[in-house]
Amino acid sequence: MTAITLRPDQPFDLDLTLSCGQAFRWEKAEGWWQGVACGRALRIRQDADRLTFEGADAGFVRDYFRLDQDLPAVLASIDRDPAIGAAIRECRGLRLVKQQPWECLVSYICATNTNIPAVKRRVGLMAERYGEPIDGPFGTAHAFPEPQALAEVTCADLWDCKLGYRTESVRRAAAFATENPDWAERVAAIPFEEAREALMEFRGVGPKAADCVLLFAFGFFEAFPVDVWIRRIVGEAYLPGLTGKNCTPAEYDRIRRFAREHFGEYAGYAQEYLYCARGPARRAA
DNA sequence: CCCCAGGGGATTT
DNA sequence: AAATCCCATGGG
């Protein structure tokens, strides 16, 4: 068991961070969050400025939760109007965790046209069946499977992980990542718009999934994923001219380019704060 | 039971 | 380029 004390000038809210839907392998039980991240089975809780955890060292925890990113500076940079200002006041301490590209890519392929519990189920089944076992603080957990492990799974068995019509997309991504193990390094090394195009070469990855992976795994904080909630929120607060119910490609581009201009280089943080403050989690609660 | 959720791809206009 | 349908699953 390890504990670290958070700096008073660097807010962090573990509950908001893990419950806002950005990562799919966390569950809260009896006051503790437990999950698997980057091959570590981690159990962690927060009491005010104290973080207590087991399953990883302090360096990993700081890195995964981006505790060294200057959050007040980020929030100050996006705080440009009353709507985002309210979201910041409500969700201060929410941080974007640093996910692994491969797991994040597959997770968001599995997230198309579906809800968060279903994504968790799919990712969990793939890990449980094909991921490396990890002895951790809550029994045997499983790492997310490496590309080769998934590439060797038959379509029928992948289908049985409840992937549905996404099965073929995951299978192709696994084959590609097995043959091109440096794919993520190459995406990380090129400019944002090019990286976005590169991710959309994957079958099953469109604008929304690409923006999520760019934001959550590659640290492209200007990425602004647009789902129906964000579309609704942006339509109400910023772009009242939005028409129709569906987000057409042209409309998607209009929203994300507006956000990049309006919020600046950390537009992705604005997206998370708006989603967290006014999206489905809050309305349900 | 039906409806909603609600992303990407294929097809058609 | 825009509109329409379909895909498999989970939640209300």
Side-chain angles (χ1 to χ4, degrees), chain A residues 224 226-240 242 244-245 247 251 255 274 278-280 283:
Chain A
F224 192 86
V226 181
D227 63 10
V228 288
W229 287 96
I230 287 299
R231 184 187 178 283
R232 194 172 301 159
I233 294 163
V234 170
E236 287 169 4
Y238 303 102
L239 297 173
L242 293 184
K245 300 265 190 289
C247 197
E251 192 179 80
I255 293 170
L274 290 171
R278 309 206 18 221
R283 305 226 169 168

Side-chain angles (χ1 to χ4, degrees), chain A residues 5 12 41 77 95 102 104 116 132 137 159 170 202 205 209 215 238 246 280:
Chain A
T5 302
F12 178 58
S77 79
R95 287 175 183 263
W102 169 242
C104 192
I116 290 171
E132 289 295 318
W159 187 278
V170 171
F202 285 94
V205 178
L215 181 61
Y238 303 102
N246 298 322

